[in-house]
Amino acid sequence: MPIVIVLFSLLGPYSENWHHLVDYVLLDYASTSLCLAGGVALLALSIGVTTAWVVTNYNFIGKAVFEWALILPLAIPPYILAYTFTGLFDSYGDANNLLRKIFYLEDTYIFFPNVRNIPGAIIVFAFTLYPYVYLVTRNSFLNQSRSLKEAGRLLGLSQFQVFYKIALPLARPAFIGGLMLVMMETLSDFGAVDHFAVQTFTTGIFRTWYGLYDLDTAMQLSSLLLLVIAMFYFIERRMTKDIKHTTNNSTFTTSAEIEIKGLKGLVAFLVCFIPIFVGFILPITQLGVWAIETNMDLLNARFLSTSLNTIVIAVFSGIICAFLALIINFSVRLNISALLSSLKSFLSIGYALPGLVLAVGIMKLFVYLDRSFVSEFGFVITGSLVGLLLAYIIKAYALANSAIESGYTRISTSIDNSAQLLGSSGWRLLSKIHFPLMKTSFLTAVLLVISEVVKELPATLVLRPFNFETLAVTTYMYAAEERMYQAAGPSIAIVLIGLIPLIFLTKMIRSSRTT
């Protein structure tokens, strides 16, 4: 319903604000958004594919750590990296101040350039989102047979030619999926682009709504962004739909790792270390310094209240999403139906929706429901936690579904047949047989949703009730006021919570190799 309401706004009417946007800024919104998404895609693809190839095929100092450490930047939301970059590299940021002290330079000397621009935003997004490309590409490289690469070498290909003529084309379905996810995340972000003053669709939607108080025009802008996101989504689906690379015989053997030392080993080390340093170590270090310099004053009653709000609503959303995913996957498994399977796949589209677009649609939907039905019962749902929970469930359901779906693939259907012969079916089969076997997958689903909800900024910023603050909103408010030191506490809390599901992912990386 939120999506339908947003798209129906394109049928008009169009206000003066809309015509003003079309005449003066809409083209800038579109060009900047596409330029940003394109730049992030190229850089994230380069980092993700290169690091995946290096840690999969070479053995060098630190490789065992880099295998899992390369996904750590996923715990850093782009807006937090944007805030730390600003504090570090502004004209009088910590990095420029440190260099001036070391080399006895004048106070007016500026070494690092301004990062509040499109190139700075591209770097921020690429170094926080590249793990999406790294994870799927590494999994693809792990499962490529050594016999294919050896055949290429026998035919005269160099090691580099084997990479871009054999391994890279075979991994294309994987990294295209990760790349499209990176681009959709970039287009839907609000916090980082707003902090860097980059004019994109999301900043335009927010300013139209809160600056011009024009919800209808904000919905029409949201519709355009939604159509662009849908275009990327269907391009990814079409490009990977019929592409399957499998071996149809028993000649599969895992690739042997090449031992490299000296200069080559150093290059491999730096290729893997730099993304981790920029995307995780640097922001965590800077946030830690800021937290220490505030003498830990951030641990006050307001911070504890905000943390409690965040954890409670994140856990509640995680449990709801996990139960929904469990029930839906169980229904599809029990009643094999093309319609049910299609509906299950459709529900996962929510992850591609920008949080701000969801917020616009939900707000309009709740306003209509309040005016038409709900107000008659003496209360309203607009501005309540109901809208926030709905946005979280729509956006994070795909994460819970992927974990539950993966868990169900490990449960043989013969177990269902045996249970039904013994009189267990329906809810009894789910509660007594499936759920105990799915506890790990269920917990993983809950943790993945919690991680996503804690980081979600646009939807929370718009739909939260009055006097209900979360860690993401508090961080944004402090950063908007240039109070970077105060933003350190909630930022560190967001990162620590985001690390929890990554710990589970790291345990699964080594077991992903086909044997």
Side-chain angles (χ1 to χ4, degrees), residues 77-87 90 116 190-197 287 290 302 457 461 469-491 494:
Y79 56 86
I80 289 182
L81 186 59
Y83 302 157
T84 55
F85 265 37
T86 301
D90 259 357
R116 291 196 180 190
F190 171 72
V193 291
D194 179 65
H195 189 70
F196 278 0
L287 291 172
W290 286 343
R302 181 183 177 184
L457 175 62
L461 197 61
E469 305 293 340
T470 66
L471 291 170
V473 172
T474 303
T475 302
Y476 170 77
M477 293 299 186
Y478 280 136
E481 298 171 0
E482 302 295 335
R483 298 166 65 186
M484 300 301 181
Y485 285 59
Q486 285 75 18
S491 297
I494 290 171

Side-chain angles (χ1 to χ4, degrees), residues 79 305-323 385 388-397 399-400 442-457 460 468-472 493-494 496-498 500-501:
Y79 56 86
S305 173
T306 302
S307 301
L308 182 62
N309 288 343
T310 305
I311 293 171
V312 169
I313 197 167
V315 170
F316 201 60
S317 302
I319 292 173
I320 292 175
C321 272
F323 267 117
L385 284 175
L388 199 55
L389 280 171
L390 180 59
Y392 290 156
I393 291 167
I394 293 172
K395 185 130 180 81
Y397 172 80
L399 297 173
F442 187 87
L443 178 60
T444 303
V446 172
L447 291 175
L448 286 171
V449 174
I450 289 174
S451 175
E452 179 67 21
V453 168
V454 167
K455 294 187 291 184
E456 176 59 36
L457 175 62
T460 311
F468 185 88
E469 305 293 340
T470 66
L471 291 170
I494 290 171
L496 291 178
I497 295 172
I500 296 173

